[in-house]
Amino acid sequence: YDTEPVFAEHFDACTTAFQAELGLDLHEAIFGGTAADLERIDRSQPALFTVEYALAKLVDSYGVRAGSYIGYSTGEYIAATLAGVFDLQTAVKTVALRARLMHESPPGAMVAVALSPADVAQHLVPGAEVSAVNDPGNCVVAGPKDAVRAFTQRLGEQGIPVRRVRATHAFHTSQMDCMLGEFREFLGRQQLNVPQTRLLSNLTGTWLTDEQAADPDTWTRQISSTIRFADELDAVLS
């Protein structure tokens, strides 16, 4: 921020836009606050958007032109904004609402486990779901705290370690279903565009079609569906 004017320009554009939506000065929260100031989802996700978007614009200013974009969860919104699906103002409003609704959803827990999706499925307990497939042998499982605790205990009895993910909610599971109606209704009033640069989808694990990009249901379903990041990486590498 201090040494790269392009980064600072886009960082400030985002924090200014988010202040109108959040009633919070993200610039102050990021540079002058404490870690606790950014632990809440309704603050951490806008902060992530701000830093990632400004960083992408900085890389672009160096002359590095992306042939395609990929993003993870909230990061997919930065990717979609860079690809032209959202303009910046619409993206800020969308991310702010998404973060607030997630914050207001039921509490939950998430753990990472070094198993394939097929192996994880054999150990799941009621309420626990695969939230993300990060690579063929690495998944995230999430759900209500009791369900995740029971899943963790079951694996522990078999000597399989898990790593707790620092999260207060069960993202990308049915625990998010309570927010989908309001989010879908909001997106239905926004202008969504076809991407100008090709973009991968967390929802499908492959290239986002023009029809999917402009469909509010795509972005709504992404919230409660498994992130298929391993499939997306396969698509990139192929």
Side-chain angles (χ1 to χ4, degrees), residues 123 125-126 128 144-157:
H123 299 288
V125 301
K145 292 180 179 179
D146 288 348
V148 174
R149 189 179 301 114
F151 171 76
T152 300
Q153 182 177 348
R154 175 176 288 186
L155 290 188
E157 291 169 351

Side-chain angles (χ1 to χ4, degrees), residues 23 69 98 177 198 202:
Y69 289 107
R98 180 179 184 268
D177 286 352
R198 63 181 187 164
N202 289 174

Side-chain angles (χ1 to χ4, degrees), residues 1 29 49 57 64 66 71 116 119 170 180 185 195 217 225 229:
Y1 185 89
F49 183 98
K57 286 294 189 180
V64 179
S116 70
D119 288 337
L180 300 186
E185 192 274 334
D217 287 336
S225 299
F229 201 65

Side-chain angles (χ1 to χ4, degrees), residues 63-97:
V64 179
R65 300 289 182 256
S68 56
Y69 289 107
I70 182 172
Y72 190 104
S73 191
T74 302
E76 188 169 19
Y77 286 83
I78 296 95
T81 304
L82 296 166
V85 176
F86 301 97
D87 61 43
L88 180 60
Q89 195 63 45
T90 301
V92 164
K93 290 180 179 180
T94 302
V95 168
L97 176 63

Side-chain angles (χ1 to χ4, degrees), residues 2 4 18 86 118 126 129-130 155 161 170 225 227 229 232-233:
D2 292 337
E4 296 284 359
F18 273 119
F86 301 97
E129 305 172 39
V130 177
L155 290 188
S225 299
I227 295 178
F229 201 65
E232 293 178 79
L233 291 177

